[in-house]
């Protein structure tokens, strides 16, 4: 249950913060959620990782699908040096996931070290 | 323990953010770039994107409604004329901001700010040519004209109103990728953009190459290699036309022969140049030749083909005028198009309005220069060029006053244009430096009702000089070869001139009422394709040597015999691939080839040429064979004469060799001067063909013998990013065909306007209305363009707001 709540909360908070702040505010979201909802460090990491993987992967997939992947075809050639929209979406998801995961881990350790 | 883990993971998190937020480690800031709410994904425009909006703009004087049709062409309906320019600026920025700004930066010599040190040569060249200087002068002129100033102010305000709405996520894609931000627009940027067009269209010169050729060859050979007369010419104003008596009599200096024509010192040259083939076709046929009885006007300006396109289609509808056509993102108004009464179009005049003068400074400080025997004081313009990630570069350019004109000393000891080191100083006199107000012409053409309005306004055109085409609903057709042209003595400005003697300066401009023109001519059509405007024997002023002539020949030949013309016939003509130059050369090649000396492979390729119909079509192999042969043929004919020539030197034009042989089959240069015997035409063509075959075998092996694959026309993104470009298009045409589509250059806007009671209009450009590579409107016209198809242009009326073609509505309200 904790896992599910912090998963949802990380997604919501990340999305909200990114409306007003730079992209790395996802780290703050994951960090804060990990402090508010204590879990074992590796569970905090996994929750946030999964949350941002879903959020960034889902958002970019949804945007790209509505775009018929026109942009992803082009930009994947620039960034990944190959024409592969799905890999670009995957790369997006992984970047968000890793940042959030480590931020949550940090939050989790902070919580633990205080107690 | 926990604390150590906490600190470690905090460091990892921060480190990852830094890596992904900057390009310290990775080549790009991937986190910033890929964030779905900030980065590139935000530029992935939905297939169902609707551009409808209600905007509150306090600066406006009235209401403006914009209706976007299914091709994303905005139909702008404004209650006040200047509000239309405001909204045009807003939309140019909304759809083309990156391109507009890039062009204004390039014109201003500010490329280094974006691309770093590799832009420095370009920046120095542009500043030294005086483009910024020219733009500042033009802006002062514009500001004296209250109507045009208000137009520019409104346009600039519209651009800035859009720029102010930009956030990190709505920035155009290229800003995100290159990582910089747009700055505010101003009227100087509009002026710079127009000077950039002057550079593109009226800055070509061969003065240094010609000077070297003049020095290298004896007079007799020089005249044969670079004749002032073109035998096959069919000028814009037909031969036999008589002109008014000359009002300006330019006098050649008495010492021309010794210090100019026989100047023995070799000059160097600059490295990059505007494309020589920037040209275009335009013609109008009168009602006597059309099926409907109404005139038809056609125009296809040939320019560098890029994405986003140079053009943006628009309809501007105000209480004072209603015009449709293409506009330049960067400038207000419709540039080529039509209104409710008439249509207008342009081709480049192409005369030489950029000349060089050698300057003698007293010493290296460049503080004093010699002019008419006196030492005169120099002015300096100090340019600070900002370079991305580097220190500023300070360039100080001397300006010398030649007669009444201040001219930049473009080439000096610090700047040789990338060629030979040289200790000479060359000042450039460029017509585009002079005060002028080109926007006034477009403003007045948008409003024009008849021939009188048109002819009154085009006489304001100075630089770039254009062949201004006109047709009206009342049946009138006209062409005026307009521009402010220096009245030159014969040969003036073909070579570098001495700058210390006032008798070599331009002595005046050809009066605007002596500019050649045609109004409702007997033959029922007017046309131009950048050929010489007039016959040398009847027009009193000197025009220079080098003009493309084959497109004009084909156009006039076809129009002469056509009757009952429909708009579809005109589209067929605009996309005609016949190569008139090759058709003149092919008979003497075929007739003189020693076929018995060709082996079976050579014979195979020769037969392709022999049975080629001289059309540069998709799938044809003949054009490739002809091109390869011709390269080899020119080398066989001229290389012996050029063996000891300086590297930078003029080569004869295509038509010079063709006409030389047609006139005399024992053409002097056919002989190889390094052999004792005298070579014949037959030997030369056979040798050249054998020489060309290895290249043909190679092309064949690569599958590139088909003309369109060999030519490989492509529309390249302005930053040369291949995934944002459309390359290797299946399209025919070539330099000497009406469809002058080359590798990166060609018909940038094809337009056919039939001025029937309800105007029937067609047009297409190789691009799309959106400059966003993530939009389906980015390049959606290209396939149709390559296939030679046209869109029907819709001059929308207020009553048609519910038409199914209207996909979005944007409203601009004062409050």
């Amino acid at each position: 249950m904790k896992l599910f709540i912090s998963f949802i909360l990380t997604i919501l908070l990340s999305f909200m913060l990114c409306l007003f702040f730079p992209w790395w505010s996802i780290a703050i979201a994951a960090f804060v959620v990990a402090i508010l909802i204590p879990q074992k460090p590796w569970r905090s990491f996994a929750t946030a990782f999964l949350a941002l993987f879903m959020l960034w992967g889902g958002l970019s997939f949804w945007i790209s699908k509505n775009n018929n992947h026109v942009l992803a075809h082009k930009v994947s050639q620039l960034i990944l040096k190959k024409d592969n929209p799905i890999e670009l979406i995957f790369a997006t998801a992984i970047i968000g996931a890793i940042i959030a995961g480590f931020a949550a881990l940090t939050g989790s350790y902070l919580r633990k070290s205080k107690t | 323990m926990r604390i150590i883990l906490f600190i470690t993971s905090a460091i990892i998190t921060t480190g990852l953010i830094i890596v992904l937020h900057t390009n310290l480690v990775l080549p790009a800031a991937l986190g910033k770039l890929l964030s779905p709410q900030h980065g590139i994904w935000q530029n992935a425009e939905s297939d169902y994107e609707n551009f409808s909006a209600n905007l509150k703009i306090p600066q406006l004087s009235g209401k403006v409604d914009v209706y976007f049709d299914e091709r994303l062409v905005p139909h702008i309906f404004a209650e006040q004329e200047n509000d239309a320019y405001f909204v045009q600026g807003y939309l140019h920025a909304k759809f083309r901001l990156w391109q507009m700004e890039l062009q204004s930066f390039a014109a201003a010599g500010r490329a280094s700010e974006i691309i770093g040190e590799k832009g420095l040569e370009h920046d120095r060249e542009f500043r030294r040519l005086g483009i910024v200087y020219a733009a500042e002068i033009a802006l002062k002129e514009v500001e004296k004209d209250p109507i045009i100033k208000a137009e520019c102010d409104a346009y600039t305000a519209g651009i800035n109103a859009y720029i102010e709405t930009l956030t990190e996520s709505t920035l155009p894609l290229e800003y995100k990728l290159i990582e910089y931000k747009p700055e505010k627009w101003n009227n100087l940027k509009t002026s710079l953009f127009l000077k950039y067009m002057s550079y593109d269209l009226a800055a070509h010169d061969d003065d240094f190459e010609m000077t070297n050729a003049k020095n290298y060859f004896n007079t007799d050979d020089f005249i044969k290699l670079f004749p002032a007369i073109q035998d096959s010419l069919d000028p814009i104003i037909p031969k036999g036309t008589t002109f008014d008596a000359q009002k300006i009599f330019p006098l050649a200096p008495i010492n021309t022969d010794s210090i100019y024509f026989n100047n023995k010192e070799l000059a160097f040259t600059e490295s990059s140049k505007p494309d020589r083939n920037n040209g275009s076709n335009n013609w109008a046929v009168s009602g006597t030749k059309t099926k409907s009885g109404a005139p038809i006007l056609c125009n296809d300006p040939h320019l560098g083909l890029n994405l986003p396109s140079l053009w943006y289609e628009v309809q501007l509808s105000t209480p004072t005028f209603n015009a449709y056509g293409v506009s330049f993102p960067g400038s207000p108004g419709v540039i080529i198009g039509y209104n409710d009464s008439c249509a207008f179009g342009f081709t480049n005049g192409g005369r030489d309005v950029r000349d060089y003068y050698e300057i003698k400074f007293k010493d290296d400080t460049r503080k004093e220069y010699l002019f008419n025997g006196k030492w005169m004081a120099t002015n300096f313009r100090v340019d600070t060029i900002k370079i991305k990630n580097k220190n500023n570069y300070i360039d100080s350019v001397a300006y010398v006053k030649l007669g009444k004109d201040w001219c930049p000393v473009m080439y000096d000891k610090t700047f040789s244009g990338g060629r030979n080191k040289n200790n000479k100083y060359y000042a450039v006199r460029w017509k585009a430096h002079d005060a002028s107000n080109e926007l006034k012409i477009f403003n007045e053409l948008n409003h024009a009702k008849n021939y009188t309005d048109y002819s009154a306004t085009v006489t304001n055109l100075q630089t770039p000089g254009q062949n201004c085409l006109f047709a009206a609903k009342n049946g009138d057709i006209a062409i005026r070869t307009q521009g402010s042209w220096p009245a030159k003595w014969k040969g003036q400005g073909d070579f570098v001139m001495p700058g210390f003697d006032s008798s070599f300066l331009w002595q005046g401009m050809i009066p605007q009422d002596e500019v050649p023109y045609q109004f409702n001519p007997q033959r029922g059509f007017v046309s131009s394709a950048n050929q010489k405007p007039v016959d040398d024997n009847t027009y009193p002023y000197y025009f220079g040597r080098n003009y493309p002539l084959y497109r004009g020949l084909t156009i006039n030949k076809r129009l002469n015999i056509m009757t009952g013309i429909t708009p579809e016939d005109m589209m067929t003509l605009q996309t005609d691939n016949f190569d008139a130059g090759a058709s003149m050369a092919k008979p003497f090649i075929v007739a003189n080839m020693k076929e018995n000396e060709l082996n079976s492979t050579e014979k195979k390729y020769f037969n392709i040429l022999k049975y080629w119909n001289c059309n540069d079509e998709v799938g044809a192999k003949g054009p490739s064979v002809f091109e390869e042969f011709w390269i080899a043929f020119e080398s066989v004919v001229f290389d012996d004469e050029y063996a000891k020539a300086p590297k930078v030197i003029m080569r004869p034009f295509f038509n010079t060799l063709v006409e030389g042989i047609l006139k005399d089959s024992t053409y002097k240069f056919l002989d190889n001067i390094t052999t004792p015997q005298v070579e014949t035409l037959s030997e030369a063509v056979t040798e050249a063909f054998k020489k060309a075959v290895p290249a043909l075998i190679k092309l064949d092996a690569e599958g590139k013998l088909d003309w369109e694959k060999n030519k490989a026309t492509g529309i390249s993104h302005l930053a040369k990013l291949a995934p944002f470009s459309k390359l290797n298009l299946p399209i025919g045409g070539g330099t000497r065909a009406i469809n002058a589509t080359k590798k990166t250059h060609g018909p940038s806007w094809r337009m056919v306007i039939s001025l029937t009671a309800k105007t029937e209009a067609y047009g297409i450009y190789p691009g799309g209305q959106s400059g966003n590579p993530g939009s389906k409107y980015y390049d959606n016209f290209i396939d149709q363009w390559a296939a030679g198809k046209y869109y029907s242009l819709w001059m929308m009326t207020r009553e048609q707001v519910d038409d199914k073609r209207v996909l979005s509505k944007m409203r601009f309200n004062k409050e």
Side-chain angles (χ1 to χ4, degrees):
Chain A
M1 195 59 197
K2 263 188 179 177
L3 190 145
F4 184 70
I5 291 173
S6 57
F7 173 79
I8 295 293
L9 210 58
T10 309
I11 287 184
L12 287 177
L13 196 57
S14 294
F15 185 83
M16 301 284 285
L17 287 178
C18 278
L19 290 177
F20 309 101
F21 302 104
W23 71 276
W24 47 260
S25 53
I26 56 169
I28 294 173
F31 179 76
V32 169
V33 171
I35 292 172
L36 290 179
I37 306 173
Q39 292 189 86
K40 286 204 170 97
W42 71 269
R43 284 181 75 99
S44 286
F45 179 91
T47 314
F49 185 95
L50 217 59
L52 260 292
F53 189 89
M54 294 305 287
L55 178 66
W56 276 29
L59 277 177
S60 55
F61 178 77
W62 180 70
I63 291 172
S64 196
K65 190 178 165 290
N66 281 335
N67 176 246
N68 282 329
H69 304 296
V70 167
L71 179 104
H73 276 296
K74 293 173 181 171
V75 174
S76 64
Q77 291 177 59
L78 286 180
I79 295 181
L80 306 174
K81 309 290 171 209
K82 58 178 150 180
D83 184 353
N84 193 330
I86 294 303
E87 278 189 33
L88 191 71
I89 292 164
F90 185 75
T92 303
I94 283 289
I95 286 174
I98 287 178
I99 294 287
F102 276 101
L105 190 66
T106 313
S108 172
Y109 283 133
L110 181 68
R111 172 93 186 195
K112 296 274 177 184
S113 60
K114 274 181 177 170
T115 52
Chain B
M1 188 57 200
R2 289 278 178 193
I3 289 188
I4 293 169
L5 285 170
F6 165 72
I7 291 171
T8 316
S9 72
I11 288 173
I12 293 175
T13 312
T14 320
L16 281 172
I17 289 175
I18 291 170
V19 167
L20 293 166
H21 190 68
T22 63
N23 42 22
L24 296 174
V25 182
L26 296 169
L30 284 183
K32 199 159 50 165
L33 214 50
L34 291 177
S35 164
Q37 287 167 271
H38 302 91
I40 54 118
W41 295 111
Q42 285 291 315
N43 302 83
E45 194 175 280
S46 164
D47 222 16
Y48 325 101
E49 180 77 19
N50 193 292
F51 296 92
S52 298
N54 263 308
L55 299 165
K56 223 177 85 178
I57 310 271
Q59 293 107 303
L60 292 177
S61 347
K63 219 173 71 167
V64 186
D65 293 320
V66 182
Y67 305 92
F68 289 96
D69 65 26
E70 67 245 311
R71 290 192 297 118
L72 205 62
V73 176
H75 303 265
I76 302 172
F77 291 85
E79 289 176 348
Q80 302 287 330
E81 181 172 331
N82 286 329
D83 287 351
Y85 302 126
F86 179 97
V87 170
Q88 192 186 10
Y90 188 94
L91 297 177
H92 278 167
K94 182 171 168 63
F95 294 103
R96 301 294 190 85
L97 180 62
W98 176 75
Q99 152 196 12
M100 286 163 70
E101 196 181 46
L102 184 79
Q103 285 163 340
S104 79
F105 268 57
R110 295 178 60 193
S112 310
E113 288 179 37
I114 304 169
I115 61 171
E117 209 167 14
K118 58 179 183 250
L120 187 60
E121 276 294 295
H122 162 93
D123 289 347
R124 291 188 72 196
E125 188 199 325
F126 267 50
R127 289 172 191 235
R128 285 172 163 263
L129 174 59
I131 292 191
V132 187
Y133 168 70
E136 287 165 359
I137 292 173
L139 182 58
K140 270 188 209 139
E141 192 69 14
V142 163
E143 288 184 335
K144 283 187 217 155
D145 180 336
I147 295 173
I148 304 304
K149 170 138 188 355
E151 174 180 332
C152 285
D153 287 346
Y155 179 74
T156 292
I159 297 172
N160 287 332
Y162 178 74
I163 292 176
E164 275 161 29
T165 69
L166 285 172
T167 63
E168 189 188 347
S169 54
T170 55
L171 268 184
L173 185 59
E174 289 89 344
Y175 288 105
K176 294 181 183 174
L177 291 169
I178 311 173
E179 294 189 47
Y180 69 114
K181 289 215 163 67
E183 57 182 37
K184 284 281 177 66
W185 195 262
N186 54 42
N187 291 351
L188 180 64
K189 287 176 188 276
T190 299
S191 184
L192 278 163
F193 172 77
L194 293 168
K195 288 298 167 190
Y196 193 71
M197 292 310 297
S198 282
Y199 170 80
D200 202 24
L201 296 169
H204 185 87
D205 73 275
D206 298 314
D207 296 4
F208 290 103
E209 289 85 344
M210 285 297 275
T211 304
N212 284 355
K214 187 81 188 69
N215 292 328
Y216 178 73
F217 291 106
N218 66 43
T219 309
D220 186 46
D221 283 356
F222 180 83
I223 291 171
K224 281 205 175 76
L225 290 169
F226 306 100
I229 307 258
Q230 298 171 309
D231 298 340
S232 339
L233 174 74
D234 186 0
I236 298 173
I237 309 302
K239 288 183 181 173
T241 306
T242 51
F243 298 98
D244 291 345
Q246 189 170 5
K247 294 199 191 88
I248 297 221
F249 294 88
L251 292 175
I254 33 174
N255 48 358
T256 330
D257 284 341
S258 58
I259 66 168
Y260 178 55
F261 286 138
N262 289 313
N263 168 12
K264 279 295 166 209
E265 289 177 80
L266 294 182
F268 69 106
T269 188
E270 76 246 67
S271 55
S272 67
K273 285 183 178 195
D275 196 309
R276 163 191 309 288
N277 294 302
N278 270 328
S280 311
N281 305 313
N282 66 12
W283 62 81
V285 290
S286 82
T288 57
K289 287 179 85 74
T290 65
K291 195 173 169 196
S292 68
I296 301 179
L297 178 141
C298 308
N299 190 190
D300 55 299
H302 308 158
L303 293 161
L305 303 177
N306 285 303
L307 279 169
S309 170
L310 181 71
W311 300 112
Y312 179 78
E313 240 176 286
V314 68
Q315 178 184 353
L316 296 174
S317 185
T318 76
T320 44
F321 75 96
N322 179 33
Y324 188 110
V326 279
S327 63
F328 289 133
S331 159
V334 169
I335 306 294
I336 294 178
Y338 63 105
N339 61 28
D340 292 335
S341 325
C342 59
F344 45 90
F346 302 90
T347 65
N348 197 18
R351 280 177 245 184
D352 183 9
V353 293
R354 175 178 175 177
D355 286 337
Y356 291 93
Y357 291 92
E358 187 182 341
I359 301 300
K360 287 185 175 157
F361 285 111
K362 198 171 192 176
D363 52 44
D364 280 356
T365 63
R366 298 177 291 162
K367 283 182 180 153
E368 287 178 273
Y369 64 99
L370 190 64
F371 189 71
N372 281 349
K374 275 190 256 164
W375 291 107
M376 316 281 282
T378 309
N379 261 355
F380 286 94
R381 186 180 166 113
V382 179
D383 272 312
T384 305
I385 305 175
K386 290 184 194 150
I387 308 172
K388 189 181 178 184
N389 302 328
K390 281 262 159 73
N391 291 334
N392 291 348
Y393 185 94
I394 312 277
D395 205 8
S396 104
V397 185
Y399 276 66
V400 292
K401 197 173 188 186
L402 302 179
K404 51 184 189 3
D405 308 301
W406 285 98
C407 307
V409 181
M410 185 169 178
Y411 298 113
D412 59 23
K413 287 181 181 174
T414 72
F415 186 76
S416 68
R419 302 272 172 137
N420 310 354
K421 277 290 164 209
N422 191 295
N423 288 325
K424 292 192 173 181
Y425 297 97
Y426 297 105
V428 58
R429 171 75 179 104
W430 186 29
K431 192 67 191 77
H433 290 152
D434 298 357
S436 65
N437 182 1
E438 271 67 45
L439 282 177
K440 184 186 170 84
I441 297 150
F442 299 115
N443 176 300
E444 293 184 351
L445 280 176
N446 289 186
H447 289 81
K449 299 238 175 319
N450 49 41
Y451 176 73
T452 318
D453 292 348
Y454 147 84
S455 54
T457 193
V458 292
T459 49
N460 291 306
L461 183 58
Q462 297 201 17
T463 313
Q466 300 287 306
N467 303 308
C468 309
L469 180 73
F470 174 83
K473 292 226 164 165
N474 71 359
D476 287 343
I477 58 169
I479 193 161
R480 299 187 63 102
T481 61
Q482 216 67 48
S484 188
W485 317 109
K488 293 181 170 185
W489 38 268
K490 191 166 185 232
Q492 186 178 16
D494 287 352
F495 318 108
V496 175
M497 293 185 276
F500 46 80
D501 179 348
S502 62
S503 58
F504 283 88
L505 303 180
W506 295 350
Q507 295 167 19
M509 295 297 146
I510 299 174
Q512 290 281 14
D513 59 358
E514 285 193 69
V515 161
Y517 74 97
Q518 266 193 309
F519 173 57
N520 290 336
Q522 199 67 51
R523 64 175 178 173
F525 70 91
V526 291
S527 84
S528 75
N530 321 102
Q531 74 269 45
K532 245 184 205 190
V534 286
D535 181 12
D536 293 273
N537 299 321
T538 48
Y539 192 67
Y541 299 100
Y542 180 64
F543 269 76
R545 299 159 201 272
N546 160 31
Y547 291 84
L549 51 80
Y550 295 106
R551 285 178 286 118
L553 271 182
T554 313
I555 292 168
N556 288 349
K557 216 175 257 176
R558 298 261 207 279
L559 288 178
N560 253 321
I561 53 171
M562 287 173 89
T563 52
I565 297 170
T566 63
E568 289 72 27
D569 294 335
M570 297 284 84
M571 296 176 204
T572 308
L573 188 58
Q574 275 187 337
T575 51
D576 189 301
N577 290 325
F578 179 68
D579 181 342
S583 81
M584 289 177 181
K586 207 190 106 182
F588 72 68
I589 301 168
V590 172
N592 288 284
M593 189 68 66
K594 296 180 184 171
E595 287 194 52
N596 54 345
E597 288 182 16
L598 301 179
N599 66 31
S600 62
T601 314
E602 289 161 350
K603 193 94 185 235
K604 182 182 98 184
Y605 292 113
F606 177 65
N607 279 334
I608 294 175
L609 180 66
K610 195 171 168 181
Y611 298 109
W612 174 45
N613 60 5
C614 292
N615 280 326
D616 296 338
E617 289 160 337
V618 172
K621 295 177 167 57
S624 303
V625 178
F626 182 81
E627 284 308 306
E628 287 302 332
F629 164 78
W630 198 262
I631 292 167
F633 187 52
E634 284 191 342
S635 147
V636 166
V637 176
F638 294 121
D639 277 2
D640 49 330
E641 276 82 11
Y642 277 86
K644 289 177 187 150
K647 216 170 99 195
V648 170
I649 190 165
M650 205 66 192
R651 299 283 294 209
F653 295 114
F654 177 90
N655 68 284
T656 306
L657 179 52
V658 175
E659 290 171 6
I661 291 171
L662 289 177
K663 220 169 5 198
D664 175 9
S665 61
T666 62
Y667 187 54
K668 180 182 172 184
F669 302 101
L670 290 170
D671 177 35
N672 185 342
I673 53 175
T674 61
T675 60
Q677 72 275 21
V678 175
E679 281 77 9
T680 63
L681 174 59
S682 192
E683 282 161 331
V685 292
T686 311
E687 187 193 337
F689 201 84
K690 285 173 174 286
K691 215 175 147 180
V693 166
L696 292 172
I697 292 173
K698 189 165 173 273
L699 280 177
D700 215 352
E702 291 167 349
K704 288 184 181 165
L705 203 57
D706 285 351
W707 177 234
E708 76 284 3
K709 298 197 179 101
N710 182 359
K711 175 166 68 108
T713 297
I715 323 279
S716 191
H717 181 255
L718 279 171
K720 306 269 176 254
L721 298 173
F724 296 174
S725 309
K726 279 272 249 193
L727 304 174
N728 300 311
L729 297 168
I731 181 168
T735 313
R736 294 174 298 269
I738 299 176
N739 176 17
T741 309
K742 297 177 294 171
K743 189 173 170 58
T744 60
H745 202 273
S748 61
W749 162 245
R750 290 191 181 118
M751 179 179 91
V752 174
I753 311 288
S754 174
L755 291 148
T756 36
K758 184 180 181 307
T759 308
E760 225 187 294
Y762 305 88
I764 192 162
Y765 69 86
Q769 286 288 88
S770 173
N772 175 11
S775 165
K776 67 173 174 183
Y777 298 106
Y778 174 66
D779 53 9
N780 55 328
F781 304 161
I782 292 181
D783 291 339
Q784 295 283 93
W785 172 83
K789 302 233 169 73
Y790 290 70
Y791 294 111
S792 173
L793 309 181
W794 180 28
M795 185 73 103
M796 186 183 162
T797 62
R798 276 278 192 190
E799 290 69 49
Q800 292 173 304
V801 295
D802 295 323
D803 193 285
K804 67 174 185 338
R805 282 171 285 186
V806 174
L807 297 190
S808 349
K809 299 174 191 178
M810 212 183 238
R811 285 183 207 292
F812 292 77
N813 294 303
K814 203 171 151 55
E815 53 215 16

